Amino acid sequence: MKKTIKYGGLLAAGVIIPQAVEAGNPKTKATPDRPNIIFILADDMGYGDLSCYGSEYVKTPNIDRLAATGTRFTQCYAGSGISSPSRCSLMTGKTSGHARIRDNQCPVGGIQGVKINPKGDTTYIRRANLLPEDTTLATVVGAAGYRTCLVNKWHLDGYDPSASPNHRGFDEFYGWTISTVHSNSPYYYPYYRFDNDKLIHIKANKHDRHVKHNTDLSTDDAIKFIKRNRQNPFFLYLAFDAPHEPYIIDNTVWYDDETWDMNTKRYAALITHMDAAIGRLLNELDRLGLRDNTLVIFASDNGAAVQAPLKLFNCNAGFKGRKGQLYEGGIRVPLIVNQPGKVPVQTLHNIVYFPDMMPTFAALAGVSEHLPQQVDGINILPLFYGQQVDTDHRMLYWEFPGKQRAARRGDWKCVTVKANAPLELYNLRDDVTESHDLAGEYPEMVEEFDRLMKEAHTPSPCWPLPGE
């Protein structure tokens, strides 16, 4: 019988987890019990876009293999329904009710800068960014001697060039930033790219040539990092752009025989191309003899966007909503965990979410004492190794300040996606598509959710609400 541990502590007595790495010793080698960590994040990929999560259209054999030989979660939630706040929750262990970044843009505070849309038009907006006092996941595992690296998309620097990943806990960074607008231009076939603090040229893409796709560039950078650090424990955060719009990829060979329009073919191709890149990375781990010593995790930062072929592909698996909304289609995401010989083959229905990753990785690295005082997630490491944690009796919380808010506890979810609109109530066990609002039948439950959600929100100088 599996032992069940109530959540609330980082590590409960009786849970067998690996011996801790000697904190601060970069020469400590990774082992199967104290592995390297690779966290792979897709961008705007829906819950239903993987074959292993029900897709009948998109080919993802390598990701499917990770799921078939590891643990697949069916009730994982992103940190938000949009990029920056979701990644902030992942990196800081905080919900969007407490985190530094709660939306892609902020009405006041932050720093003003230029945003270029896919058509090339420019607007001026304000963004918040992580500050030096914000503890990141990289800072925590780095205290255990892990060499840390972010490849590709950060999206937590706002318009502050000094807030890049290698100034917020990561030892190395290769990719693009918001604050340097042209660092990922043109999208998917960039000419500019950061090598730590140095902005370099991708000569193959000069004069807008489509030679080196960003997914390939990112995979190359990831493999180079692994090769350099194969004698040390490492944490690699590989944050692909795919399949974020605009859907730009020249090679659609997997789908050329389909009758879909080109936008749809390219969306599918971006995902399959990313899958092939993941296969290439896994093959390199095997070649280097690191696979058994590496925990590989795959997720998406939020649901599929309105530009995706939502209906044709059923990108969000029939869930209500999409990217930018706090319905299930905006925040429920795939989560796959794999490590040969350690992570069992299983499908778990535990309710987990991005803020859980910081305390989980801290426990894995043996440095829970380095966690910041305010962490909203819990340690779910036992779930990775075949034991149980009671994750379902706590409350999960999300907000777009002043616009949307949502909470889930057990089978029940309370949500509104419009400012000043009444809260809606759903029983997700019976109504996963959020089709039958039960707020009128259970007003006391709605009142309790409302009270708890207000407690889960702390004021933010960048998103002030009336009366704060």
Side-chain angles (χ1 to χ4, degrees):
M1 179 179 294
K2 292 182 179 179
K3 189 167 185 175
T4 299
I5 302 100
K6 291 288 184 180
Y7 76 88
L10 288 176
L11 207 54
V15 181
I16 301 173
I17 70 159
Q19 183 179 358
V21 168
E22 181 183 348
N25 180 4
K27 296 183 179 180
T28 303
K29 291 187 177 182
T31 68
D33 287 342
R34 188 60 54 179
N36 305 308
I37 304 167
I38 298 179
F39 193 100
I40 303 172
L41 193 66
D43 196 345
D44 290 3
M45 191 195 73
Y47 185 96
D49 277 330
L50 299 175
S51 299
C52 54
Y53 279 82
S55 177
E56 298 177 359
Y57 302 96
V58 184
K59 300 177 178 70
T60 53
N62 294 292
I63 299 172
D64 295 345
R65 194 173 303 114
L66 285 175
T69 59
T71 293
R72 183 177 69 97
F73 287 82
T74 65
Q75 297 194 84
C76 175
Y77 288 92
S80 180
I82 202 166
S83 186
S84 289
S86 184
R87 292 159 196 265
C88 187
S89 285
L90 176 66
M91 283 293 106
T92 65
K94 298 180 181 181
T95 70
S96 47
H98 294 142
R100 181 78 61 191
I101 301 172
R102 307 186 184 192
D103 203 339
N104 274 3
Q105 303 176 28
C106 55
V108 297
I111 299 173
Q112 181 174 280
V114 174
K115 178 178 175 64
I116 302 176
N117 69 22
K119 295 182 180 180
D121 300 325
T122 62
T123 56
Y124 287 92
I125 64 171
R126 307 191 75 87
R127 292 184 185 266
N129 56 270
L130 287 187
L131 299 181
E133 58 264 34
D134 293 319
T135 301
T136 66
L137 206 163
T139 306
V140 172
V141 298
Y146 278 65
R147 184 75 178 174
T148 60
C149 177
L150 169 69
V151 173
N152 199 48
K153 183 173 179 176
W154 176 230
H155 230 249
L156 303 178
D157 59 305
Y159 291 112
D160 181 0
S162 68
S164 59
N166 50 316
H167 295 279
R168 294 295 183 267
F170 285 92
D171 296 312
E172 301 181 35
F173 164 55
Y174 309 95
W176 62 277
T177 65
I178 296 170
S179 55
T180 304
V181 178
H182 60 281
S183 62
N184 197 36
S185 179
Y187 207 66
Y188 281 119
Y189 292 95
Y191 176 57
Y192 298 94
R193 189 170 179 84
F194 274 103
D195 180 329
N196 293 297
D197 282 330
K198 184 180 180 181
L199 194 59
I200 64 172
H201 292 161
I202 308 301
K203 294 181 180 179
N205 292 338
K206 190 175 182 179
H207 302 308
D208 294 333
R209 288 180 295 182
H210 287 194
V211 177
K212 291 289 289 185
H213 196 274
N214 196 44
T215 295
D216 297 320
L217 289 170
S218 298
T219 307
D220 290 346
D221 287 334
I223 289 173
K224 290 174 185 176
F225 169 77
I226 291 169
K227 286 181 177 179
R228 288 195 303 272
N229 291 279
R230 57 187 170 186
Q231 300 300 323
N232 305 317
F234 60 79
F235 167 53
L236 169 64
Y237 174 25
L238 175 53
F240 287 115
D241 286 334
H244 193 290
E245 55 85 25
Y247 307 134
I248 301 173
I249 184 170
D250 292 346
N251 182 13
T252 59
V253 64
W254 307 278
Y255 305 104
D256 285 344
D257 292 336
E258 300 289 347
T259 58
W260 311 330
D261 62 42
M262 282 307 301
N263 191 67
T264 300
K265 290 181 181 180
R266 287 171 182 146
Y267 180 83
L270 283 168
I271 297 174
T272 301
H273 180 224
M274 174 178 63
D275 178 86
I278 291 171
R280 182 157 67 92
L281 183 142
L282 294 174
N283 289 339
E284 191 64 23
L285 289 175
D286 286 332
R287 191 186 72 80
L288 295 171
L290 298 177
R291 188 67 185 90
D292 291 347
N293 293 354
T294 304
L295 179 71
V296 178
I297 300 175
F298 178 87
S300 179
D301 68 337
N302 44 249
V306 67
Q307 296 90 344
L310 296 175
K311 291 184 178 180
L312 176 61
F313 282 5
N314 193 25
C315 297
N316 290 330
F319 297 136
K320 185 176 183 177
R322 52 172 171 74
K323 173 187 176 179
Q325 296 179 330
L326 297 182
Y327 289 126
E328 294 292 283
I331 56 176
R332 193 184 291 210
V333 295
L335 178 67
I336 299 167
V337 180
N338 188 289
Q339 185 189 352
K342 299 296 294 184
V343 172
V345 177
Q346 59 183 346
T347 297
L348 294 181
H349 306 296
N350 299 73
I351 302 170
V352 300
Y353 72 149
F354 278 14
D356 295 334
M357 294 303 156
M358 178 178 276
T360 298
F361 290 176
L364 179 63
V367 287
S368 296
E369 70 276 11
H370 288 275
L371 286 168
Q373 186 174 5
Q374 173 69 59
V375 175
D376 295 317
I378 64 170
N379 170 29
I380 60 170
L381 183 63
L383 295 177
F384 295 177
Y385 294 117
Q387 300 181 51
Q388 276 296 312
V389 178
D390 180 0
T391 63
D392 300 352
H393 291 87
R394 57 177 173 159
M395 189 184 84
L396 282 62
Y397 178 69
W398 304 264
E399 68 174 50
F400 288 111
K403 301 175 183 177
Q404 303 184 42
R405 54 188 179 135
R408 179 173 180 181
R409 185 167 63 178
D411 294 329
W412 294 92
K413 181 180 175 185
C414 202
V415 58
T416 180
V417 299
K418 296 180 180 179
N420 303 316
L423 288 167
E424 304 162 19
L425 182 68
Y426 301 99
N427 186 310
L428 295 181
R429 180 186 59 190
D430 301 329
D431 179 26
V432 74
T433 60
E434 296 170 291
S435 301
H436 306 291
D437 182 4
L438 301 176
E441 297 181 36
Y442 299 97
E444 297 87 357
M445 187 180 297
V446 174
E447 289 179 9
E448 177 68 2
F449 264 116
D450 185 35
R451 182 185 67 82
L452 292 172
M453 285 194 282
K454 288 176 179 176
E455 290 179 357
H457 166 85
T458 56
S460 166
C462 294
W463 288 274
L465 299 181
E468 292 184 345

